[in-house]
Amino acid sequence: MKIAILSTAAASLVGFRKELLQEIEKSNETYAMASDWVPQIEREVASWGVQPIHCALARDGVNPVREIKGLIALTRQFSVLAPDIYFGYFPKPNTIGLLAAYFAGVPRRYALVEGLGYYFTERGIHPGWKALLVRYIQIFLYRLALPRCTKVFFLNEDDRAELIKAGVSIHASMVLPGIGVDLEYYADIDRYPDSPVFLMVSRLLVEKGVREFVAAARLVKARYSNARFLLAGGLDSNPGGIEGEEVKSWVSEGVLDWVGHVEDIRTVFAESSVFVLPSYREGRPRSTQEAMAMARPIITTDAIGCRETVDEGVNGFRVPVRNVAALAEAMNKFIETPDLVRKMGRQSRRIAEEKYNVHEINAAILRAMSIVVDDSHPAVDG
């Protein structure tokens, strides 16, 4: 059987889809499609026996002429490749890519909605007619594409409900507990720094709550000067991207240390006490799942996709979105009661083992797509 997987970021095929691609490749001819291949990533994907395919599908922006050209080019590619199954994730593969697969006559088509993205976050963050227009265009594309899906996978019930409310017909769907992590790779580390270290791992976007993290850090450091704050993540070209000069000003101020993009994020988790993600909205954040697997307690928001990762008072705390004072107070709890770090970290690891085993989640996805999988990995209830 031929299976084509489309992404707008080749790096995500290695970072987020490695185990899934390797599992599919065992008994299927597998194509990994993206537009931004670099030699290192291309070689790694090819080493799994998966065939890297270059395609014309831009990650960012909504340029009608460019998107129509991309749709036509993808339709031709699918017609030549003739896959039996199409699987897309991220907004454009779930709309333009899926429509191309439909027009090319790909028999079975699947989409994984990891989150509804920038234009579905809290209203008023980025006001203006352009943001509103793009939101309507995205909804229009979802209305065209998702009804042509054999099945749509979601990471939370709220995203499914919002699309249906927006008039998107979804004939068959399944809610997954997350995309999962390799629990052996992200191993349980039962050691923590002597002084409190709060870590945020994220693309540097306004809607990820980066500025709230910085503002809370200022409040905490004014009271507890020994607290450290680490920010890991690269600059981003999306509309909500934070400029590098602003980030450097935080470093110069002494509020935090910025380590940029980190190839092996486990090294940064190992330096931390508590993981913090004050995001405005998520699908089900992979970084939080990684932190939980490495036995880190979590502070996050009571927002869609974030709230599901924290059992309040058990493995961490939830705070209101954009509430800096509440975020700082949650941080202070770990400083004032340091035993909470290890206690809640143990609970994070337990929850990760119960819910976020990538092999179990992948097996559930492949069974839902009627692809033969290794029966040693049991199914996961949606």
Side-chain angles (χ1 to χ4, degrees):
M1 187 154 47
K2 293 182 180 181
I3 301 172
I5 297 181
L6 176 63
S7 173
T8 44
S12 72
L13 293 164
V14 175
F16 299 158
R17 296 287 171 262
K18 178 179 179 179
E19 295 85 2
L20 181 64
L21 284 164
Q22 290 176 331
E23 187 68 31
I24 292 173
E25 189 276 332
K26 289 178 182 178
S27 54
N28 301 279
E29 188 174 345
T30 309
Y31 306 108
M33 306 177 69
S35 59
D36 62 345
W37 292 101
V38 296
Q40 180 182 354
I41 295 175
E42 194 167 356
R43 285 193 299 269
E44 181 169 358
V45 170
S47 73
W48 309 334
V50 175
Q51 184 175 342
I53 301 289
H54 290 255
C55 66
L57 186 62
R59 173 189 170 190
D60 301 326
V62 182
N63 181 312
V65 174
R66 183 181 62 185
E67 307 308 345
I68 291 172
K69 287 181 178 179
L71 174 63
I72 294 170
L74 273 173
T75 302
R76 289 172 177 165
Q77 279 187 296
F78 287 134
S79 297
V80 173
L81 291 173
D84 302 288
I85 291 177
Y86 168 83
F87 179 85
Y89 63 96
F90 293 158
K92 288 192 179 181
N94 288 344
T95 52
I96 295 169
L98 200 146
L99 287 169
Y102 171 76
F103 292 142
V106 179
R108 290 152 56 191
R109 301 168 297 276
Y110 300 90
L112 170 58
V113 178
E114 294 194 345
L116 293 184
Y118 169 81
Y119 293 103
F120 286 82
T121 53
E122 184 185 350
R123 299 276 180 93
I125 298 169
H126 305 288
W129 67 268
K130 287 185 179 180
L132 188 62
L133 177 62
V134 172
R135 179 185 171 93
Y136 282 131
I137 290 172
Q138 286 191 332
I139 291 173
F140 172 73
L141 290 172
Y142 279 130
R143 286 174 178 170
L144 287 178
L146 293 187
R148 291 163 173 81
C149 255
T150 307
K151 180 167 284 187
V152 184
F153 298 98
F154 291 91
L155 299 185
N156 62 70
E157 180 60 47
D158 294 278
D159 285 346
R160 176 166 63 178
E162 183 159 346
L163 286 179
I164 292 172
K165 184 178 179 180
V168 179
S169 296
I170 299 170
H171 302 308
S173 63
M174 178 178 180
V175 177
L176 302 167
I179 63 174
V181 296
D182 185 333
L183 295 173
E184 293 183 4
Y185 182 81
Y186 294 97
D188 180 354
I189 297 182
D190 190 23
R191 62 179 184 274
Y192 306 89
D194 294 332
S195 298
V197 180
F198 297 92
L199 168 67
M200 180 175 181
V201 178
S202 168
R203 292 179 294 152
L204 300 189
L205 298 168
V206 170
E207 58 266 30
K208 295 294 184 180
V210 177
R211 287 177 176 149
E212 284 77 10
F213 178 71
V214 175
R218 288 194 185 99
L219 293 178
V220 173
K221 286 181 75 70
R223 187 171 175 183
Y224 300 103
S225 59
N226 65 327
R228 283 187 63 214
F229 294 83
L230 291 178
L231 177 61
L235 301 175
D236 198 284
S237 61
N238 272 299
I242 295 172
E243 295 293 334
E245 290 305 312
E246 183 176 1
V247 182
K248 291 175 183 176
S249 72
W250 300 332
V251 176
S252 299
E253 184 186 343
V255 177
L256 53 74
D257 295 315
W258 177 39
V259 296
H261 173 73
V262 179
E263 287 297 329
D264 187 352
I265 199 64
R266 295 174 300 174
T267 61
V268 184
F269 282 126
E271 295 178 23
S272 70
S273 309
V274 179
F275 180 77
V276 184
L277 183 64
S279 180
Y280 302 172
R281 180 177 187 142
E282 296 285 336
R284 186 82 61 106
R286 164 69 178 256
S287 59
T288 308
Q289 296 169 54
E290 294 168 349
M292 292 171 68
M294 296 191 71
R296 264 51 193 169
I298 309 299
I299 299 174
T300 192
T301 54
D302 190 24
I304 291 172
C306 295
R307 65 172 72 103
E308 289 85 353
T309 60
V310 168
D311 188 349
E312 177 68 22
V314 176
N315 74 309
F317 301 106
R318 296 193 299 264
V319 299
V321 173
R322 304 176 75 181
N323 190 321
V324 172
L327 181 59
E329 186 55 36
M331 294 173 177
N332 288 338
K333 289 178 183 178
F334 286 104
I335 299 174
E336 294 162 359
T337 312
D339 289 347
L340 286 178
V341 173
R342 176 168 273 101
K343 179 182 177 181
M344 290 188 169
R346 303 309 311 154
Q347 292 300 317
S348 278
R349 176 67 189 192
R350 175 188 61 79
I351 294 170
E353 291 174 350
E354 291 176 356
K355 296 175 64 175
Y356 299 133
N357 185 324
V358 69
H359 299 295
E360 295 181 357
I361 292 171
N362 285 344
I365 292 172
L366 298 181
R367 272 195 292 275
M369 295 195 298
S370 300
I371 298 174
V372 175
V373 296
D374 183 349
D375 288 337
S376 65
H377 300 309
V380 180
D381 292 330

